Amino acid sequence: MNAPAVQRFPFGPQLTSEGLAFFRLWAPNCPEVSLLLEGEEPLPMNPVRAGWYEVQAPCAAGARYKFRLADGSDVPDPASRQQQDDAHGWSIVVDHDAYPWRHPDWQGRPWSEAVIYELHVGVCGGYKGVTANLPELAALGVTAIELMPIAQFPGTRNWGYDGVLPFAPAVAYGTPDELKELIDTAHGLGLMVLLDVVYNHFGPDGNFLHLYASDFFRDDRSTGWGTAIDFRRRQVRDFFIENAQHWLNDYRFDGLRLDAVHAIDDPDYLFEFARAVRGSVAPDRHIHLIVENEDNCASLLESSAPSFDAQWNDDGHHCLHVLLTGEHEGYYADYAVAPADKLARCLAEGFVYQGEHSEHCGRARGEPSKALRSTAFVLFLQNHDHIGNRAFGERLLTLCRADAFRAAAALVLLAPQIPLLFMGEEDGAREPFLFFTDHHPQLAEQVRVGRREEFSKFEAFADSADSPNLPDPNEPTSFAASVPQPTAESPLWRAFYSSLLALRREHVMPGLADISRRESAVLGRAAVSTAWLSGDTWLRLYANLDEAPVEFEIAPSAKLLYASSDEAESDAAKGLLIGSSTLLFSVPA
């Protein structure tokens, strides 16, 4: 049984039942456009309305094509569904109705059941490599995998945030059918599949929109990645809405994580986006939309007008990182003072910054978040950003004590927020995750210089010979060094994570949709407690990331559900929370 035919979009080629394909291009800056099918003479396209060109041509799935502009330039389709090589190659017509889905009735899982595992498809061996690892992740207790961006980029190695053809899955990782096989297999194992998408900018190489649709961009605003995209224009809004619908319907992804939405200058677009995307899928499917948002806009997450399910909670990460490492440069400076107090606020209310002034940002940041549900926040110890944006890509486990790391991991996995793991974390991986690219020489040098300038602001590099010796993003060795490798300790780490996720599944997940009260307290320099009431039961979670014990109080009726060690359990009976330990209790209300 195949999945029902999906909605058709105005961007990208559309196959018809008559052996034809319908091609469209929005090129408001071009006096003429032709369709160039491989091996055929150019076919003039018909100008229609508002800068659109369109034409029908005899065509089948697998046909290769480009668009020829008036100046003779040949460009790929900005809505290409597949590329022959990379972003500079031929676009390929794809028949998305041809894939024989084995689990077409999969409807997803409730958001409260999410345990997310972020991964980079290339590092994990492409679509086939990820597929092969899915049974182990499901057995571990993961319920959702999140793919870093896969939109077609130049070259063969990239984090994905330099994508330029957002409808085309990167050919370096495999074929569209291999991506569908990954998702289909995941669904058969009960795993959701989420996709990281980038709608705030295009990469610096392989984006040809400026040649024929400069109206796609603003001439009065820029972002940290270049000229801002103009979301005031209907065509631009539709382009990205249709892209999201494409991933959710053609590929049956279960949700999307929108990168850095604070760089989208028209916030009302995000509300429109969420409405349109949710309205395009069957009402019985669980579709989840997550944002990364430096502005901490609680209004995007309000359950009274559901737009987005959750936000990556960088505030929570930064508090934990400062407590574990003592680092205080860059964005960590905002969390260096009273980090335990800030972590307690984060656990009880979601955001640390809810309108307060941020020294790092140089402005007020955030909106009140106390009224939001706990599951509106994705909590993590590490992800691609906070590892890979370090000069040497160190994982957190190499920066702090292992016992403190385990205590913090237990806090993240047992807290009522949605937990996220980064690939290799379950094995205790210590390999770095470096920033890597595959750019042409001129752009590669610009990236190298830019990173040296960025890290020169940090004390360790200000007058150091290390600065010129930073890993070169464009060297294949940077990619190869980022592949996590199991060690002799990996089975112990896997058992640790598996037991915590089983505990979460049994005791935490069932009550997440019914939390009526939350509270947190600071117990010591790096020790906190947090509690939440669901039904007639409190769950009380205690974590001490310091080496010294602290005192705490627990009701005589409390039942111990988890102790990080026998010693932690023994001392808990004496009212002591030993160093580098975590405890979870259930207490009748």
Side-chain angles (χ1 to χ4, degrees):
M1 176 180 177
N2 288 345
V6 299
Q7 176 184 351
R8 294 304 182 186
F9 309 126
F11 287 94
Q14 302 166 45
L15 290 167
T16 72
S17 57
E18 294 80 25
L20 301 172
F22 186 64
F23 296 87
R24 303 183 84 215
L25 181 70
W26 187 56
N29 305 133
C30 265
E32 60 183 56
V33 179
S34 296
L35 172 68
L36 186 62
L37 286 166
E38 188 179 36
E40 304 288 339
E41 290 296 315
L43 181 63
M45 299 180 72
N46 303 311
V48 283
R49 60 196 178 282
W52 283 97
Y53 289 84
E54 58 186 38
V55 71
Q56 278 193 334
C59 195
R64 292 163 172 78
Y65 70 100
K66 288 186 177 182
F67 295 116
R68 178 160 292 174
L69 309 181
D71 65 359
S73 301
D74 294 340
V75 299
D77 188 345
S80 168
R81 270 34 178 192
Q82 184 183 6
Q83 289 296 106
Q84 180 179 10
D85 298 311
D86 67 359
H88 295 274
W90 290 89
S91 299
I92 301 175
V93 177
V94 174
D95 181 4
H96 280 296
D97 294 336
Y99 180 82
W101 292 96
R102 291 176 288 116
H103 304 285
D105 297 326
W106 166 265
Q107 302 300 325
R109 300 180 66 150
W111 181 240
S112 60
E113 296 180 4
V115 174
I116 305 171
Y117 184 92
E118 188 195 18
L119 62 87
H120 184 279
V121 175
V123 165
C124 292
Y127 304 130
K128 286 186 175 181
V130 175
T131 303
N133 196 40
L134 292 176
E136 288 190 2
L137 293 176
L140 186 72
V142 167
T143 63
I145 63 168
E146 180 177 315
L147 312 185
M148 287 176 64
I150 60 174
Q152 185 64 64
F153 49 79
T156 61
R157 306 178 305 277
N158 201 282
W159 268 20
Y161 300 93
D162 285 336
V164 290
L165 299 176
F167 288 79
V171 68
Y173 303 154
T175 67
D177 277 0
E178 288 169 349
L179 174 57
K180 291 178 181 179
E181 172 70 13
L182 183 165
I183 296 166
D184 208 8
T185 301
H187 291 168
L189 294 167
L191 291 167
M192 298 182 284
V193 187
L194 312 175
L195 178 64
D196 196 343
V197 292
V198 183
Y199 295 156
N200 52 61
H201 75 285
F202 291 91
D205 179 24
N207 172 31
F208 299 99
L209 281 166
H210 61 282
L211 295 180
Y212 55 86
S214 60
D215 293 350
F216 215 94
F217 304 96
R218 301 187 66 145
D219 57 11
D220 60 340
R221 294 189 185 181
S222 62
T223 71
W225 304 285
T227 307
I229 294 171
D230 193 350
F231 283 93
R232 298 171 299 180
R233 297 190 181 276
R234 182 73 264 160
Q235 296 90 340
V236 173
R237 290 185 172 221
D238 288 345
F239 182 82
F240 291 111
I241 288 172
E242 291 163 15
N243 179 259
Q245 293 169 343
H246 160 69
W247 293 121
L248 297 175
N249 292 316
D250 281 343
Y251 284 94
R252 298 185 61 79
F253 277 96
D254 298 284
L256 305 171
R257 180 261 194 191
L258 276 65
D259 177 67
V261 299
H262 51 267
I264 295 176
D265 284 323
D266 298 86
D268 67 296
Y269 170 68
L270 295 173
F271 291 100
E272 178 190 341
F273 171 91
R275 287 193 302 270
V277 169
R278 293 190 185 280
S280 73
V281 300
D284 51 352
R285 283 182 66 188
H286 292 284
I287 294 298
H288 307 302
L289 301 177
I290 306 102
V291 292
E292 178 195 28
N293 188 0
E294 187 178 271
D295 292 337
N296 283 1
C297 294
S299 51
L300 288 174
L301 309 172
E302 292 173 351
S303 56
S304 58
S307 296
F308 294 88
D309 296 87
Q311 175 178 317
W312 274 25
N313 196 351
D314 280 344
D315 280 357
H317 166 270
H318 297 348
C319 293
L320 287 163
H321 189 92
V322 169
L323 286 167
L324 289 168
T325 69
E327 293 183 350
H328 58 272
E329 291 188 277
Y331 44 66
Y332 294 127
D334 277 348
Y335 305 84
V337 177
D341 297 76
K342 290 181 171 64
L343 177 60
R345 187 184 199 195
C346 179
L347 292 170
E349 301 181 14
F351 297 137
V352 172
Y353 283 88
Q354 302 180 32
E356 293 82 2
H357 181 79
S358 160
E359 288 295 331
H360 176 71
C361 296
R363 57 179 171 81
R365 174 173 169 248
E367 298 172 351
S369 60
K370 187 175 182 179
L372 297 177
R373 61 207 178 282
S374 296
T375 54
F377 306 94
V378 177
L379 189 61
F380 41 84
L381 282 181
Q382 48 196 344
N383 60 34
H384 75 273
D385 260 335
H386 305 306
I387 302 174
N389 284 333
R390 299 178 64 86
F392 296 100
E394 303 100 327
R395 288 176 178 263
L396 181 58
L397 190 55
T398 69
L399 301 173
C400 69
R401 303 186 325 273
D403 55 356
F405 179 94
R406 283 191 289 268
L411 171 65
V412 168
L413 295 181
L414 298 178
Q417 289 83 3
I418 298 298
L420 178 143
L421 308 175
F422 185 66
M423 61 177 186
E425 187 175 330
E426 78 283 8
D427 282 324
R430 294 174 181 268
E431 287 77 16
F433 183 67
L434 299 170
F435 182 66
F436 48 79
T437 60
D438 185 16
H439 290 317
H440 59 75
Q442 181 181 359
L443 182 55
E445 178 59 19
Q446 292 173 0
V447 171
R448 282 190 289 269
V449 170
R451 284 182 70 80
R452 284 198 296 269
E453 291 177 349
E454 176 185 356
F455 292 117
S456 68
K457 303 171 187 175
F458 289 80
E459 183 178 344
F461 296 97
D463 298 303
S464 171
D466 283 340
S467 187
N469 296 324
L470 293 173
D472 185 344
N474 224 53
E475 283 295 325
T477 51
S478 293
F479 173 84
S482 300
V483 179
Q485 303 292 339
T487 69
E489 295 181 345
S490 294
L492 296 176
W493 281 103
R494 287 206 170 221
F496 169 73
Y497 278 96
S498 179
S499 64
L500 285 169
L501 291 177
L503 195 69
R504 180 181 184 86
R505 190 164 55 247
E506 180 179 359
H507 295 289
V508 179
M509 279 185 189
L512 288 179
D514 190 32
I515 294 175
S516 56
R517 286 180 59 191
R518 293 174 302 199
E519 59 186 41
S520 291
V522 176
L523 304 177
R525 188 196 69 83
V528 297
S529 68
T530 187
W532 57 101
L533 177 63
S534 179
D536 58 0
T537 302
W538 282 94
L539 288 180
R540 295 192 173 274
L541 182 60
Y542 299 82
N544 184 2
L545 309 184
D546 206 351
E547 294 181 273
V550 296
E551 295 181 348
F552 77 104
E553 294 183 4
I554 189 68
S557 58
K559 177 184 178 182
L560 181 65
L561 301 177
Y562 172 77
S564 52
S565 66
D566 292 341
E567 183 184 1
E569 179 177 356
S570 174
D571 280 22
K574 307 171 189 175
L576 284 179
L577 180 63
I578 66 170
S580 302
S581 69
T582 310
L583 303 169
L584 178 67
F585 295 88
S586 67
V587 186

